[in-house]
C-alpha cells in the first residue's frame, strides 16, 4: 500500500451511505471540490470508525474550542440517556457502537474546523468560509 500526499487541502467526511442527508452532503461536497481547491477523504464509519485522537480533535473542532459544546454535538441524540461530560466517555461510547457518531460529519483538519452537515447545505459553511479555499 502506498501513501501519497494530497495535491490540495483535504476535507474528511465521516459518511453513512444509508442516510439521505449523508449522501446529499457528499454530493454537495464533491461538486464543491470541483470548484474549490480541496480533496475529499471519504470514511464510511461502519467500516472505519474514527480513532481516539480524531475523536478528541473532532470534539474540540465542533465546539470551536469549547469541549462542552463539541460534546453536545458529536453523538446522535439516541446514543445515551445523559450527555457525555468528557471526551473519554465519547470514545467509550463510540468504541461500543461507532454508529452513534453523528453524520454527515465534515472535518477540515488543517484549519481545525468541523461541522455536522445536517442540513446538507451546511457543507458550504465549511467550504466557503473566509479564506478557506481558493477557486480553481
Amino acid at each position: 500500500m502506498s501513501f501519497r500526499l494530497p495535491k490540495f487541502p483535504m476535507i474528511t467526511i465521516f459518511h453513512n451511505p444509508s442516510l439521505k442527508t449523508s449522501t446529499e452532503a457528499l454530493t454537495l461536497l464533491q461538486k464543491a471540490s470541483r470548484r474549490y481547491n480541496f480533496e475529499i477523504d471519504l470514511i464510511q464509519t461502519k467500516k472505519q470508525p474514527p480513532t481516539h485522537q480524531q475523536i478528541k480533535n473532532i470534539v474540540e473542532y465542533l465546539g470551536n474550542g469549547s469541549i462542552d459544546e463539541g460534546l453536545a454535538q458529536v453523538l446522535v441524540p439516541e446514543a445515551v440517556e445523559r450527555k457525555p461530560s468528557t471526551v473519554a466517555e465519547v470514545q467509550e461510547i463510540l468504541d461500543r457502537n461507532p454508529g452513534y457518531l453523528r453524520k454527515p460529519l465534515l472535518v477540515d483538519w488543517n484549519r481545525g474546523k468541523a461541522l455536522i452537515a445536517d442540513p446538507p447545505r451546511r457543507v458550504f459553511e465549511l467550504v466557503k468560509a473566509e479564506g478557506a479555499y481558493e477557486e480553481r
Side-chain angles (χ1 to χ4, degrees), residues 2-73:
S2 67
F3 177 79
R4 69 174 179 85
L5 290 174
K7 184 177 177 183
F8 298 108
M10 187 171 297
I11 293 177
T12 298
I13 179 169
F14 291 90
H15 174 62
N16 180 346
S18 63
L19 294 176
K20 182 179 178 184
T21 55
S22 195
T23 56
E24 289 175 5
L26 177 59
T27 298
L28 291 175
L29 192 62
Q30 289 168 329
K31 287 179 183 178
S33 74
R34 290 190 285 273
R35 182 173 178 185
Y36 298 94
N37 287 324
F38 68 88
E39 293 185 21
I40 299 169
D41 177 26
L42 175 64
I43 298 180
Q44 293 191 25
T45 53
K46 289 183 179 181
K47 297 178 182 175
Q48 182 182 352
T51 66
H52 283 202
Q53 183 61 51
Q54 287 174 323
I55 293 168
K56 180 180 178 293
N57 291 342
I58 288 166
V59 167
E60 181 181 334
Y61 299 167
L62 278 173
N64 293 316
S66 167
I67 299 300
D68 289 339
E69 288 183 32
L71 290 170
Q73 296 179 56

Side-chain angles (χ1 to χ4, degrees), residues 88-100:
E89 287 179 18
V90 169
Q91 291 169 338
E92 289 173 18
I93 291 166
L94 293 175
D95 284 345
R96 288 191 307 270
N97 189 339
Y100 284 160

